[in-house]
Amino acid sequence: MPAIEVSGLTKTFQAYQKQPGFTGAIRGLFRRRYDTVHAVRNVSFTIQPGEFVGFVGPNGAGKTTTLKMLSGLLHPTTGTARVLGHIPWERADAYRRQFALLLGQKNQLWWDLPANESFALNARIYGISETDKTRRVTELSELLGVREKLSVQVRELSLGQRMKMELIASLLHQPRVLFLDEPTLGLDVVSQQTVRHFLRDYSRRQQTTILLTSHYMADIEALCQRVIIIDRGALYFDGPLESIVDQFADFKLVTLQCEDAESVNLQTLSRHGEIVEEQPGKLTLKIKRDRVIPACKSLLDELIVKDIDIHEVPIEEVVRQIFSRQNPDAPTTPSKGYPAL
């Protein structure tokens, strides 16, 4: 049985549109204007037990709203969902003991207490024995490198240390399904790497089903083999991570290091593909996938090439361009060093 089944999930909100100024405030007392906001539109997908799936989309795409519905915090407007065989918004105790939701921008630990005391409270809530609680906290804190900080007030911990403690609190009851919303938001590079390694190893050992949202594509590439892309509330892509490049980028980038790059006729080279970067002794061309091999043969014959590198466009850039296509208001200027798709 799938761990997560979502069918036609839709969520709309009524957003009050206040008129500007004092007059507008007075008018709002008697007649209010509401706009319908479609946060999630007819989303359907299935996740098998033990899968680690990336849930990707721009700000406002509906990712967090979907996670809140799957965790039972919100009721959908229409559609159905089952997680571990339960309807989430019915909030059955049997379900609430089997999942965890970690929001990167929300705290679940008591700010003025050491994390250890919050863990003790969580253990009592979930009916975990003192022996099991101590063993799990010790194991998780050692893996995350924060064992010596367990008795420090949460308010005195760094952002990275707090997030690691939040992870421990979420995993203390060994959930079968874990919803992660931006778990590495605002963390430094070292803390991000630590959290990624921990999540990857934990998922393999415990076979926990994990749905991860993140704006850092490094998180998605390091942890997820499958990606679900959502934009403006609608499902846009669902499939293997590597197929994103194959499906949405029909070219490769070929970088040449040449001894005589300054004297190269750029107009002549442009017949092989678009020149997207030019530096002293170095050229980068965008070439159609089915033309890469013949183009490289011609380039090696025409130029004195010291080195040649054929590489895919970074997934992060491909996803960014997908969002730009879907959202006309998004900036379409490519990141430095990469062409528009």
Side-chain angles (χ1 to χ4, degrees):
M1 184 179 68
I4 302 173
E5 294 179 277
V6 175
S7 178
L9 205 61
T10 299
K11 181 63 179 179
T12 59
F13 296 96
Q14 295 297 314
Y16 167 53
Q17 299 297 312
K18 179 184 176 299
Q19 298 299 310
F22 178 74
T23 303
I26 297 298
R27 287 176 181 170
L29 294 175
F30 302 96
R31 178 180 295 177
R32 294 196 167 201
R33 191 181 72 188
Y34 293 88
D35 286 346
T36 300
V37 178
H38 295 274
V40 178
R41 303 169 184 257
N42 196 32
V43 168
S44 301
F45 58 82
T46 300
I47 298 177
Q48 299 300 324
E51 274 196 279
F52 203 136
V53 180
F55 199 39
V56 181
N59 289 327
K63 305 184 300 297
T64 301
T65 301
T66 301
L67 293 189
K68 287 183 176 180
M69 285 190 284
L70 294 179
S71 60
L73 296 179
L74 293 176
H75 285 247
T77 304
T78 60
T80 61
R82 285 189 174 273
V83 183
L84 301 175
H86 298 275
I87 298 175
W89 42 91
E90 290 183 352
R91 300 188 180 183
D93 286 344
Y95 172 57
R96 289 190 289 179
R97 292 178 180 276
Q98 297 184 78
F99 86 94
L101 171 65
L102 176 59
L103 302 173
Q105 302 181 45
K106 302 287 185 181
N107 296 319
Q108 61 178 315
L109 299 176
W110 289 89
W111 194 250
D112 295 312
L113 297 177
N116 232 349
E117 296 190 28
S118 290
F119 299 155
L121 175 60
N122 282 11
R124 295 293 295 272
I125 291 173
Y126 285 102
I128 303 170
S129 68
E130 181 64 25
T131 301
D132 286 342
K133 187 269 290 185
T134 302
R135 176 177 54 81
R136 293 174 191 176
V137 169
T138 300
E139 178 186 4
L140 294 172
S141 61
E142 286 181 349
L143 289 172
L144 287 166
V146 289
R147 186 175 180 182
E148 70 283 358
K149 301 294 183 179
L150 292 173
S151 299
V152 177
Q153 278 184 308
V154 171
R155 65 163 58 249
E156 297 180 2
L157 298 175
S158 68
L159 180 60
Q161 292 166 346
R162 287 203 303 272
M163 179 51 62
K164 292 171 185 177
M165 296 299 186
E166 296 281 353
L167 264 175
I168 295 172
S170 298
L171 298 174
L172 191 60
H173 61 291
Q174 295 183 327
R176 293 172 56 194
V177 171
L178 178 60
F179 300 118
L180 295 174
D181 188 27
E182 303 286 355
T184 60
L185 184 67
L187 303 189
D188 60 68
V189 175
V190 175
S191 295
Q192 287 179 12
Q193 193 73 2
T194 301
V195 171
R196 288 175 197 144
H197 282 309
F198 170 79
L199 289 173
R200 181 170 55 246
D201 294 341
Y202 185 87
S203 174
R204 288 172 181 169
R205 286 187 292 107
Q206 301 292 335
Q207 287 299 295
T208 305
T209 304
I210 301 178
L211 189 57
L212 165 70
T213 78
S214 179
H215 286 297
Y216 298 121
M217 283 306 298
D219 291 347
I220 305 298
E221 290 184 82
L223 298 170
C224 308
Q225 293 184 332
R226 174 185 169 194
V227 173
I228 296 173
I229 297 179
I230 186 173
D231 191 21
R232 289 184 287 183
L235 195 68
Y236 184 72
F237 174 85
D238 183 357
L241 181 62
E242 62 270 13
S243 68
I244 292 178
V245 174
D246 295 336
Q247 184 170 340
F248 297 105
D250 60 349
F251 62 88
K252 292 189 176 184
L253 298 178
V254 177
T255 300
L256 303 168
Q257 291 189 7
C258 309
E259 291 185 357
D260 56 347
E262 291 78 6
S263 61
V264 171
N265 188 328
L266 299 181
Q267 187 174 1
T268 301
L269 286 184
S270 63
R271 74 179 187 274
H272 298 297
E274 180 185 347
I275 299 172
V276 296
E277 186 177 5
E278 180 186 358
Q279 297 180 8
K282 183 178 178 181
L283 294 169
T284 300
L285 291 86
K286 180 178 74 172
I287 302 176
K288 287 281 189 178
R289 286 178 175 274
D290 57 355
R291 291 287 307 154
V292 169
I293 292 179
C296 287
K297 289 180 179 178
S298 298
L299 290 168
L300 291 172
D301 291 336
E302 297 169 13
L303 305 173
I304 303 175
V305 178
K306 296 191 295 184
D307 190 19
I308 184 169
D309 181 25
I310 304 171
H311 53 280
E312 301 281 3
V313 178
I315 289 178
E316 181 173 3
E317 181 65 18
V318 177
V319 172
R320 191 190 68 81
Q321 291 292 342
I322 290 172
F323 296 156
S324 297
R325 287 178 182 177
Q326 291 294 98
N327 183 4
D329 298 326
T332 55
T333 304
S335 300
K336 185 177 180 181
Y338 299 110
L341 299 184

